[in-house]
Amino acid sequence: MVVDDRVRAAIAAVDADQVTDLVRGALRIPSLSGEERDVAQYYVDRMGELGIESQLQDVPHDPMMPGPSVNAIGRLAGSGGGTSLLFNGHIDHNPVSDGWTKDPFGAEVSDGFIYGFVHMKAADACYIAAADAVRRAGVPLRGDVHIALVCGELRGGAGTKHALSQGLKADYFVLGEPTELELATKHTASIVADIHVLGRMKHFATQEVAGKRGVNAVEKIAKVIPLLGRSHQPLPSRDDGGWLSFEPKDGFEGLPQINLGSIRGGISRSFNRSRPALMPDRAALTVDFRIVPGMSRESIERDLRRLLDGIAEEDEDFAYEIEFHGETFPFPYDSPDDSAVVKAIARNHQAVTGAPATWSKILKFAASDASWMSRAGIPGIVYGPTGKYLSRPDECGLVDDFVTVTKVYAATIAEMCA
């Protein structure tokens, strides 16, 4: 079989009904972060039934996770000496929010869409269907095809970090995060910090006492918010009048940005709100920093302290603490645009869809396990189905996109691993 014959055979072997059934089966199983065992077992069972080596991999407790969990690890073994591919995808999903009109775990098919937490359990099912299509097409593989369906990505990538620490590796990776079938080789990192502003408790009806004057922490933290800048808007560098230190980077246009995630106020670190007659002695603002290469937790802390110290110079009652959250995705993903796997995915996207592949303009604002794989020295690409209907009530994805991406994955395996 020459390359074109292998690719055509792999594409032709993709079974749309199998893709749909695999996706729907996964969507019916709840799998919040730390509670992935049932869906991991589902994937292991399906891979085993299709002749793909598979096993559960225990993942120990991680500071970001509520408890230990498991990965589902699969392998379609090659004869040796060929290029290996790693298909990585997380199996945890967002909490159920208000506003759903469909059963979040019903996997309902309507008007060409499948409803449920398709991000990213659908792409995980597509990996399995793609590997099975290559196997059934009789494409002789030299390189291994690894499938790592991992827990805890929404808690900072616990499953992928553990799998890599246990020796999982490949020449290239493919990550099916939602890109609307567009190509992505770059995205930001996520560094999260709490800014605590400290006040001094005082009862509403008591007199002021010299040296122990009441300080309302909620009022003080209100001074911080406008200085940080607006959420989801590009922030200028210090050289351009902003407060963050960074150098602009090609491919990361529109970054850095922040999101003001939550604000709390009350008495003590527990933010007790049972006594509204008392001045709150603590207020905390959670900020998610989406950064460009060259920025780090250390650079953000330096810049924050410079900003907050400026408030303290003008307000003797202003005091603060900075507390960073546990490690999420602390460094950006920045992989070569011209690697063999990027070229193969682009080529096979056009072969399947008839249209040239385009570059994603949206994914660069996200964070994902691509950071950990890239950090481990594995170049790769993010290319997956769905996107615009994710992380909102009635999350869904197009059946046709799931079938399309499976064909592209199968063609890429047939081209590269053979």
Side-chain angles (χ1 to χ4, degrees):
M1 300 176 78
V2 297
V3 171
D4 288 348
D5 290 338
R6 293 195 300 258
V7 169
R8 281 193 290 267
I11 292 171
V14 171
D15 183 336
D17 290 337
Q18 180 195 49
V19 173
T20 302
D21 289 344
L22 283 168
V23 171
R24 295 185 73 197
L27 298 189
R28 291 189 180 106
I29 305 171
S31 54
L32 293 168
S33 296
E35 301 173 13
E36 298 97 340
R37 183 172 293 274
D38 288 347
V39 79
Q41 187 67 61
Y42 167 82
Y43 287 123
V44 165
D45 291 346
R46 298 293 82 76
M47 286 189 281
E49 292 167 0
L50 299 173
I52 301 170
E53 297 175 28
S54 60
Q55 62 177 334
L56 292 176
Q57 180 184 62
D58 289 327
V59 177
H61 176 69
D62 183 278
M64 295 292 291
M65 289 275 282
S69 193
V70 293
N71 294 332
I73 304 295
R75 183 174 75 115
L76 194 61
S79 60
T83 299
S84 58
L85 282 178
L86 166 59
F87 289 85
N88 172 279
H90 66 86
I91 57 179
D92 52 341
H93 60 73
N94 289 318
V96 179
S97 66
D98 290 338
W100 281 76
T101 65
K102 310 285 188 183
D103 179 354
F105 305 106
E108 177 183 332
V109 179
S110 178
D111 296 328
F113 289 88
I114 302 179
Y115 288 83
F117 287 106
V118 294
H119 173 213
M120 61 171 294
K121 293 194 288 185
D124 297 335
C126 294
Y127 300 155
I128 296 171
D132 183 55
V134 171
R135 183 189 62 80
R136 287 186 288 103
V139 176
L141 299 181
R142 294 178 63 198
D144 291 345
V145 179
H146 298 279
I147 300 174
L149 310 182
V150 297
C151 65
E153 191 269 355
L154 300 177
R155 299 296 188 95
T160 291
K161 287 190 289 183
H162 181 71
L164 292 169
S165 74
Q166 298 303 298
L168 180 66
K169 60 183 179 179
D171 294 314
Y172 299 98
F173 74 80
V174 176
L175 177 58
E177 286 278 7
T179 66
E180 295 284 354
L181 301 178
E182 295 179 331
L183 315 175
T185 57
K186 294 171 175 58
H187 67 53
T188 186
S190 172
I191 296 177
V192 181
D194 285 340
I195 301 171
H196 293 264
V197 173
L198 312 179
R200 188 179 299 116
M201 189 183 78
K202 172 190 173 297
H203 192 279
F204 191 93
T206 58
Q207 291 182 328
E208 293 286 7
V209 177
K212 295 185 178 181
R213 202 156 43 85
V215 177
N216 189 311
V218 171
E219 292 178 355
K220 296 300 182 185
I221 205 167
K223 295 185 173 186
V224 177
I225 295 172
L227 297 181
L228 291 173
R230 291 182 59 193
S231 295
H232 299 196
Q233 297 292 324
L235 296 178
S237 70
R238 291 187 68 206
D239 291 341
D240 291 323
W243 65 274
L244 284 169
S245 304
F246 67 92
E247 294 290 335
K249 170 81 171 176
D250 289 344
F252 292 84
E253 292 79 10
L255 290 162
Q257 295 190 18
I258 61 170
N259 184 54
L260 307 183
S262 66
I263 188 166
R264 293 146 291 161
I267 305 303
S268 79
R269 272 190 168 270
S270 67
F271 302 105
N272 188 304
R273 298 182 299 166
S274 66
R275 291 282 287 151
L278 302 177
M279 281 189 180
D281 63 2
R282 184 176 290 266
L285 174 66
T286 299
V287 186
D288 185 346
F289 295 86
R290 299 298 170 109
I291 65 175
V292 301
M295 297 176 70
S296 65
R297 176 180 292 193
E298 291 73 23
S299 73
I300 289 171
E301 181 171 3
R302 285 195 300 270
D303 290 337
L304 267 179
R305 291 195 181 281
R306 185 184 302 110
L307 185 74
L308 300 175
D309 286 345
I311 300 175
E313 287 176 5
E314 299 180 358
D315 182 350
E316 63 180 6
D317 291 325
F318 185 85
Y320 70 89
E321 297 172 350
I322 298 172
E323 180 182 17
F324 284 92
H325 288 208
E327 191 172 69
T328 49
F329 297 100
F331 33 80
Y333 156 57
D334 189 3
S335 197
D337 293 345
D338 59 353
S339 70
V341 71
V342 173
K343 292 178 179 179
I345 289 285
R347 207 164 27 242
N348 292 314
H349 173 94
Q350 182 157 5
V352 171
T353 68
T358 57
W359 291 98
S360 171
K361 294 180 174 61
I362 300 297
L363 189 86
K364 66 182 174 184
F365 300 107
S368 79
D369 277 335
S371 290
W372 296 116
M373 291 181 286
S374 180
R375 189 75 165 194
I378 308 173
I381 185 170
V382 183
Y383 172 85
T386 75
K388 67 178 70 172
Y389 301 109
L390 301 188
S391 298
R392 64 188 67 202
D394 290 343
E395 182 172 316
C396 60
L398 283 166
V399 174
D400 287 349
D401 283 357
F402 299 143
V403 175
T404 294
V405 82
T406 303
K407 291 179 178 180
V408 176
Y409 293 157
T412 302
I413 294 170
E415 177 182 338
M416 296 190 70
C417 298

